[in-house]
Amino acid sequence: MTTIGVDFDVPLHAYSRGWADGTIYDEPTPGGFDALRQLMADHAVFVFTARDTYQTALWLKGHGFDVQLDAAGSDGIWPKFWNTRDRILVTDRKLPAVAYIDDRGIRWTSWPQALADLETSLLLFDRDEQLRALRAAQDPFISSEQYLQALHDARRCAELERELEAAKFEIRHLRAGESDQPAPEGVAPTPEQWIHWWNRATPDERTTMVNQIFASAATAATCFEMNHRWSLERLDRLTNALRILDQVPSIAARAMFITEAHENLGLGASFETVLAYAAARVILTETTPSASAPSESSR
C-alpha cells in the first residue's frame, strides 16, 4: 500500500485571500476533489494542513468525503503511518509517504538547485500576496482579466529569474578554476590559463584544439606501442641467449664463451650483443664437429 500526502490550501481549498484569519472561507479548487478521489482509488491519502484540523475535517466531510481526524489512540500513542485507502486522514503532521502534493514544496536534488528554487518561490509568493491583497480590496481599477494577467506575468517573470539564476550558476561552474589572465604569447599555459583560453575560444578554435589533442594522443600511443614491442623483442632475444648458455654444463665454460665474445667484439659491445655472440658460439660448437669450445690450453 502506497501513501500520498496532499496539502490542503491551494490543491484543495482555493485560498484566494491567502491565510486571512485562519478560518476556512473559500470554495474548493477546481478539479481538486476529482483528483483526490482518483488518488484514493489507488493509494492511502492523508491531507495535511496548518489550519485547524477539526475545521478542515468538517469541510471535507461536508463535501462528501469519509474523513478521520488524526489523534492519539487509547494508549496515548499517535499513529506513525496511514494505510487506509477508502478514508482520508486529516492531520497537521508530516507522515511518511511516497510523495507530497504541495503548491509550495521544493523538490530537492542538490542544495544549489534547492536554494535557487527557494528564491524563485519567495519572489512568486510575495507577488501573489500583493495581487491577493489588491483583489481582496476590490480595487475598482483592476478587472478580473487584469488580475489574472498580472498573476500570469508575475509567475512568468519568476520563471525567467529562475532561468537567469540557473544560467549564472552554470557560468560559474564552467569558469571554476580558470586563471584571471591568459598565458603570455609563446609560453606554455598553466592548466588554469588553458581553461581561461578554452572558455573564450570560438567553436572553430575549440575544434582545432581537440583535433590536435587527438592527433598528439594517437602519436604518443603509437610511440609507446612501438617501444613496448621493441622491448618485448629484446627481452625474448636475451632470454633465448641465456637459455642457450644455460645448457653449457660447466660454469667455467660459460665464462670462457662470454670472455671470447668480449675479446672478439670489443669492450664497447652491448650486453645483448655479447650474449647473442656467445650463444651463437655455443650452437656452433654443438652442431659443427670441427668447431671446439674455447679452452685455457687453446688460448
Side-chain angles (χ1 to χ4, degrees):
M1 174 67 71
T2 53
T3 303
I4 306 294
V6 180
D7 183 29
F8 178 68
D9 280 325
V10 180
L12 300 176
H13 175 245
Y15 199 70
S16 61
R17 292 189 283 115
W19 178 260
D21 60 357
T23 59
I24 301 174
Y25 60 85
D26 216 340
E27 296 297 318
T29 299
F33 287 165
D34 291 338
L36 195 59
R37 292 188 179 92
Q38 183 177 346
L39 288 174
M40 293 175 65
D42 299 314
H43 312 279
V45 177
F46 66 86
V47 171
F48 56 94
T49 181
R51 296 185 185 274
D52 183 83
T53 54
Y54 181 73
Q55 290 184 21
T56 304
L58 287 179
W59 189 83
L60 288 169
K61 188 175 181 64
H63 287 90
F65 288 95
D66 187 7
V67 298
Q68 177 176 322
L69 193 63
D70 189 20
S74 57
D75 55 1
I77 299 177
W78 289 77
K80 296 181 179 179
F81 304 96
W82 178 249
N83 295 315
T84 302
R85 195 169 65 181
D86 57 353
R87 186 182 307 127
I88 295 175
L89 178 73
V90 179
T91 181
D92 56 3
R93 299 186 297 143
K94 185 177 181 180
L95 298 176
V98 297
Y100 301 92
I101 300 175
D102 190 340
D103 64 301
R104 293 183 182 172
I106 295 177
R107 182 176 179 84
W108 188 96
T109 56
S110 69
W111 274 116
Q113 161 268 321
L115 293 175
D117 288 355
L118 174 60
E119 185 175 354
T120 299
S121 296
L122 292 175
L123 289 171
L124 183 57
F125 173 77
D126 289 341
R127 290 169 184 176
D128 283 353
E129 288 299 302
Q130 293 173 8
L131 291 170
R132 286 194 187 97
L134 291 173
R135 187 66 172 166
Q138 295 182 345
D139 190 326
F141 298 104
I142 298 180
S143 65
S144 298
E145 292 75 12
Q146 289 174 321
Y147 168 78
L148 292 175
Q149 184 61 46
L151 184 61
H152 171 78
D153 292 344
R155 288 178 174 170
R156 180 55 185 153
C157 184
E159 291 175 0
L160 292 174
E161 289 175 350
R162 175 180 172 179
E163 293 173 4
L164 177 61
E165 287 302 316
K168 289 180 179 178
F169 174 80
E170 185 66 20
I171 291 174
R172 289 194 298 270
H173 175 73
L174 290 173
R175 291 186 174 177
E178 75 172 18
S179 171
D180 293 336
Q181 299 295 330
E185 188 70 27
V187 178
T190 64
E192 293 79 7
Q193 291 170 334
W194 195 91
I195 296 174
H196 180 279
W197 174 86
W198 178 265
N199 287 338
R200 290 157 181 78
T202 65
D204 289 341
E205 290 173 336
R206 293 184 180 185
T207 301
T208 301
M209 175 59 69
V210 170
N211 288 333
Q212 291 175 352
I213 292 174
F214 284 167
S216 298
T219 301
T222 301
C223 291
F224 175 80
E225 182 181 357
M226 293 175 62
N227 183 65
H228 181 64
R229 188 184 304 116
W230 178 84
S231 298
L232 289 177
E233 292 172 352
R234 180 172 180 269
L235 181 62
D236 286 340
R237 289 194 297 271
L238 291 173
T239 302
N240 289 333
L242 290 172
R243 187 179 295 114
I244 293 170
L245 287 172
D246 192 51
Q247 295 174 1
V248 178
S250 168
I251 296 178
R254 296 177 202 169
M256 284 188 288
F257 275 116
I258 293 175
T259 300
E260 180 190 15
H262 268 301
E263 291 177 350
N264 291 328
L265 296 174
L267 295 178
S270 67
F271 178 65
E272 178 185 356
T273 304
V274 170
L275 284 183
Y277 184 95
R281 286 285 292 121
V282 171
I283 296 173
L284 183 63
T285 301
E286 293 177 347
T287 58
T288 307
S290 59
S292 61
S295 63
E296 285 296 328
S297 58
S298 65
R299 302 174 67 250

